[in-house]
């Protein structure tokens, strides 16, 4: 693990200070994407992390035909 990386639970605690909405942590990106697809349809989602992580999430979303996200 990258020692510069922040612990996911710590990030969730910080993020929760700035929203009244639930802040959830999942163990892996595929787990998080699966949760979002099942529970957050039509809602905004936020990804806290690196641009690398955001790029991986975008790649997963673009490959998911039901997500309705186009490359670009």
């Amino acid at each position: 693990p990258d020692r510069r990386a922040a612990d996911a639970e710590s990030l969730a605690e910080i993020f929760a200070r700035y929203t009244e909405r639930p802040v959830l942590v999942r163990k892996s990106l595929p787990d998080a994407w699966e949760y979002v697809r099942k529970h957050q349809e039509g809602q905004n989602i936020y990804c806290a992390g690196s641009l690398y992580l955001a790029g991986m999430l975008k790649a997963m979303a673009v490959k998911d035909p039901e997500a309705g996200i186009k490359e670009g």
Side-chain angles (χ1 to χ4, degrees):
D2 186 344
R3 64 175 208 228
R4 297 179 306 154
D7 174 78
E9 295 294 335
S10 298
L11 284 176
E13 289 175 17
I14 293 167
F15 198 84
R17 293 180 200 158
Y18 300 97
T19 183
E20 294 177 8
R21 306 292 299 172
V23 176
L24 305 172
V25 175
R26 294 292 180 255
K27 293 201 179 260
S28 69
L29 191 55
D31 288 347
W33 182 245
E34 182 178 332
Y35 178 87
V36 166
R37 294 290 295 126
K38 288 182 179 177
H39 298 96
Q40 302 299 110
E41 187 172 338
Q43 298 183 41
N44 292 331
I45 61 166
Y46 299 91
C47 175
S50 66
L51 289 176
Y52 180 73
L53 177 66
M56 290 188 319
L57 179 59
K58 180 182 177 190
M60 290 179 73
V62 168
K63 289 179 184 177
D64 185 340
E66 293 182 21
I69 298 172
K70 296 179 182 165
E71 185 72 43

